[in-house]
Amino acid sequence: MIELPAFLITIASIWLATRQNIWYYPTGIVSVLLYAWIFFGARLYAETALQFVWLVLMIYGWYEWLHGGADRRELPVSRTPRWGWITAIVSGAVMTAVIVWIQRTFTDNPAPVVDSSIAAWSIVAQWMTARKWLENWLLWIAVNVIAVPLYVTRELWLTALLYAILFVLGIQGYRRWRGTLVR
């Protein structure tokens, strides 16, 4: 049963993210690979594919956190710029529509709209996390609220519990990052 190790590694990873600790990325990569296997077995195909998108975003974020700031130094926390919000909203809406269509057309997913929405908005939130935009945590909180009932219906009890814990860590991350915000 790999759900328990995935659960524990993910909690540790997100806890590290709330503290802006670079070890968030290596632990996150392990978590992503484990959850790809779990979600595939549960026929949550958008969530499975999402793990591989996250793998790319994790590598990107790891680099950005280390070298994305001024003079290629550590990236500080900042607010999401207007262009970032526009990009996030348009991307999230378009990705949701495309993923819903793909799932309804090509899969047997019993919850294509919810699964697709979680996948699309998680990609947006992970991109915002990689940029260290404070508001990524607000998006993560919303995703977690929607994800818990989905995982309960798929009988992924530990994963449902995980996303409930991630909801709490999202609030903690928002508060901690807000305290370090570059004004």
Side-chain angles (χ1 to χ4, degrees), residues 60-147:
Y60 166 72
W62 196 348
Y63 176 84
E64 285 296 314
W65 277 31
L66 289 173
H67 306 291
D71 299 323
R72 304 190 60 73
R73 294 190 180 175
E74 185 178 338
L75 187 66
V77 173
S78 62
R79 292 225 176 253
T80 306
R82 178 175 290 212
W83 70 265
W85 277 118
I86 292 167
T87 302
I89 291 167
V90 170
S91 297
V94 169
M95 282 190 291
T96 298
V98 168
I99 299 169
V100 166
W101 178 81
I102 290 168
Q103 290 213 72
R104 283 188 170 157
T105 306
F106 300 108
T107 77
D108 60 348
N109 187 332
V113 175
V114 175
D115 186 28
S116 300
S117 298
I118 291 168
W121 290 101
S122 292
I123 291 168
V124 171
Q126 187 62 41
W127 170 67
M128 292 173 70
T129 302
R131 298 298 314 139
K132 269 194 174 177
W133 290 338
L134 172 65
E135 293 80 10
N136 83 83
W137 292 108
L138 301 177
L139 217 51
W140 281 124
I141 290 166
V143 165
N144 295 333
V145 165
I146 295 166

